[in-house]
Amino acid sequence: MPGLEDLYREIILDHYRSPRNRGELPVPPAHKVEGFNPLCGDEVVLYLDVDPDTDTVRDVKIAGQGCSISQASTSMMSAAVKGKSVAEARQLIRAFKALMSIHEHKLEGEGDGADLQAELEGVRLGDLEALQGVVKFPVRIKCATLAWNTLQQGLDETG
Amino acid sequence: MTYLDVARIKEDFPILRREVHGHRLVYLDSASSSQKPIAVLDAMDQMYRTSYANVHRGVYTIAEEATAAYENARTKVARFVNAPSTAELVFTRNATEAINLVAYTWARANLREGDAIVLTHLEHHANVVPWHMLAAERGVEVRWIPMTPDYELDLSNLDALLDGAKLLGVSAMSNVLGTMPPVRQLVDAAHAVGALALVDACQYVPHNVTDVQAWDADFVAFSAHKLLGPTGIGALWGREALLDAMPPFLGGGEMIRDVRLDGFTPNELPWKFEAGTQPIAEAVGFGAAVDYLSALGMDAVRAHEKQLTAYALNALLERFPRTLHIYGPLDVERRGGAVSFLFDEIHAHDVSQVLDEDGVCVRAGHHCAKPLMRVLGVPATTRASFYVYNDETDVDVLVESLAKAEKFFLG
Ligand SMILES: Cc1ncc(COP(=O)(O)O)c(C=O)c1O
């Protein structure tokens, strides 16, 4: 039986209680994107400042409300992608989804360890790995991925 | 004073013997769906084992037995809500389908552009979305009876809201707040302007003595699964003259008296609204559930829940005087046993996750009442709801578990 400590690791509670990069950026030049989980009402707002010349995420600010998992994941995501190139950010999105056992464009099977290894190859998840325990609580996976889906949408819209 | 022997009642519910995460199961989500006693499980099992056949068709013995069991269940359910006649008690899939039946038949036959219907801020999506769909299709106006800061309906502007309205739809008990609006008063006000009244009694019937005639309503909807019965069956009670005049809902077998190449003649009530093979064993389970509740006595059920709800409200306010907010009236005379609350700093989902660790089942979310949640200004609440198998020990476990959640998240 997975326990609460698997889900709510200390680093997650820390990001929940003291979220990083909270605030707003002027739009434009920043791009604002909102993610919403209609089932539980969780909401993520991202302000993305992508430098078109260098294709890097110059700055990111977050807002919104929701459960500890969704808000901590948003905070951790903002810290992870700030200063990264768009390509690196997209790689992080893929790696994070692989960590959550989400394999896009695949219908059958759970995906094997090799898949996860391939997606994670050369990616440093760092603190984000603390969210891996969420996988054992299937209904909470959508809480953890909300920020990342919102980031993906934001990058698609700016790119 | 104890009204129910809960220790004995708990033994009637096999699921309450199981453990979750090493803890006794404490089921506090009956407002969502109730657990089932052995009497209901056995009645359905017995039907499948001894008398199962399709109803109203065969002339062989078990088909006759099945038909008798199905119709006998209807009689029990009709009596349970004091319907004057079994012709007025239509089996549906659930309360949602019962309300949709009214929206698709009576409303589409009688309402046109510019007509108004009146709903309340308390309504469940089941009594909102069918009317939004009608509004979009027909240009019907939907008006709302607002809520007061004390979580009651604000009836100060009722006459103006009802002016020119054709239908009033009201929940007899809110599944989020526990609020019990004054149904009879609202029905009378609707009738005074020539409007019909539909009562969503999905939360009311399981917990109170229900008398559709005392309400003087026109339509009453409820579900079996919230009153110890199975899923897949519910009921619409409607006045015979209205049901008679309404066009049928779904077409197919059962609901016809005659079918020709050029048309059909609908069946008599209540079968006119029961198209296709019905949930037969579920009807039998529905009947067994109302028998079980009647044996306890609905007066005793209500008295027990009032007592337990008062105990719970008290315990929550005493233990968390500053950090926990209760959404709903505090006077148990005016409310039922669905208790919504929220910690200032902890999300409802996080609370229920910690509670699950202790085997405590509560609901966290918008409870299919998003318009109401918008009025309350919160995206989600945690809701504990009580039934005949809950006692003060269950409430104590809840409170201890909440204290644990508070400590876990707020340190
Ligand atoms: C007040 C109210 N109305 C209607 C419904 C819908 O019931 P069902 O899902 O059984 O159709 C519910 C169920 O949650 C309810 O609480």
Side-chain angles (χ1 to χ4, degrees), chain A residues 1-5 7-8 13 16-17 36 38-42 65-69 137 140, chain B residues 21 345-347 349-351 353-354 356-357 365-366 370 374 379-380 404 407-411:
Chain A
M1 258 322 158
L4 282 182
E5 323 69 55
L7 183 61
Y8 299 114
L13 291 177
Y16 174 52
R17 291 179 189 133
F36 199 64
L39 278 179
C40 57
D42 284 359
Q65 50 154 356
C67 71
S68 59
I69 302 299
F137 298 81
R140 304 301 293 273
Chain B
H21 304 301
E345 307 270 346
I346 321 174
H347 193 274
H349 282 145
D350 290 321
V351 171
Q353 189 87 56
V354 176
D356 177 61
E357 183 86 353
H366 55 62
K370 289 192 92 167
R374 288 198 161 88
K404 190 170 125 185
K407 187 149 182 290
F408 189 83
F409 287 102
L410 302 183

Side-chain angles (χ1 to χ4, degrees), chain B residues 31-32 94-97 99 124 126 171 173-175 200 202-203 223 225-226:
Chain B
S32 184
N94 45 35
T96 302
E97 191 181 84
I99 295 168
H124 185 279
S171 164
M173 176 179 145
S174 160
N175 65 317
D200 174 359
C202 203
Q203 292 291 337
S223 288
H225 71 93
K226 293 198 205 272

Side-chain angles (χ1 to χ4, degrees), chain A residues 21-27 29-34 44-50 57-64 74 77-78 81 150-151 154 158:
Chain A
N21 301 309
R22 213 161 163 90
E24 295 181 11
L25 291 174
V27 182
H31 179 71
K32 180 181 176 186
V33 56
E34 290 173 299
V44 165
V45 183
L46 301 183
Y47 296 85
L48 292 172
D49 179 8
V50 176
V57 182
R58 205 159 29 194
D59 200 2
V60 53
K61 293 276 186 221
I62 63 170
T74 310
M77 179 276 287
S78 72
V81 300
T150 311
L151 173 64
T158 51

Side-chain angles (χ1 to χ4, degrees), chain B residues 8-227:
Chain B
R8 242 226 59 247
I9 291 172
K10 277 183 189 286
E11 289 176 12
D12 292 337
F13 291 78
I15 201 169
L16 298 181
R17 279 173 227 153
R18 76 162 279 184
E19 294 192 339
V20 172
H21 304 301
H23 296 275
R24 173 176 76 86
L25 183 69
V26 174
Y27 189 74
L28 299 177
D29 196 19
S30 298
S32 184
S33 198
S34 65
Q35 297 300 343
K36 322 302 173 198
I38 293 167
V40 168
L41 303 175
D42 280 356
M44 294 172 67
D45 191 53
Q46 198 60 19
M47 153 125 243
Y48 277 126
R49 285 171 191 277
T50 63
S51 323
Y52 180 77
N54 213 331
V55 298
H56 300 139
R57 292 176 195 185
V59 286
Y60 47 88
T61 302
I62 59 169
E64 278 170 6
E65 287 175 8
T67 303
Y70 180 73
E71 291 304 328
N72 190 27
R74 187 193 312 278
T75 305
K76 290 175 182 184
V77 175
R79 279 208 190 106
F80 191 67
V81 296
N82 198 31
S85 145
T86 52
E88 300 186 340
L89 199 289
V90 177
F91 282 137
T92 60
R93 205 151 47 95
N94 45 35
T96 302
E97 191 181 84
I99 295 168
N100 274 277
L101 192 162
V102 177
Y104 276 94
T105 61
W106 176 82
R108 278 169 173 76
N110 289 284
L111 301 190
R112 47 201 47 64
E113 184 160 358
D115 283 341
I117 65 173
V118 178
L119 303 172
T120 86
H121 277 174
L122 302 178
E123 302 313 305
H124 185 279
H125 293 166
N127 202 23
V128 173
V129 182
W131 307 114
H132 277 330
M133 289 163 72
L134 179 75
E137 186 185 309
R138 286 288 167 93
V140 167
E141 179 196 356
V142 181
R143 300 176 187 160
W144 300 91
I145 300 177
M147 192 181 67
T148 68
D150 308 330
Y151 308 103
E152 309 271 358
L153 287 184
D154 177 357
L155 303 181
S156 58
N157 207 22
L158 184 60
D159 291 342
L161 282 170
L162 278 173
D163 187 29
K166 293 278 167 53
L167 178 77
L168 166 75
V170 60
S171 164
M173 176 179 145
S174 160
N175 65 317
V176 180
L177 307 172
T179 307
M180 301 204 291
V183 173
R184 176 68 201 237
Q185 183 190 341
L186 286 162
V187 171
D188 286 348
H191 287 168
V193 299
L196 297 189
L198 178 151
V199 181
D200 174 359
C202 203
Q203 292 291 337
Y204 189 94
V205 173
H207 307 282
N208 296 274
V209 177
T210 304
D211 184 339
V212 297
Q213 297 183 63
W215 274 340
D216 200 32
D218 300 291
F219 300 108
V220 176
F222 54 105
S223 288
H225 71 93
K226 293 198 205 272
L227 52 78

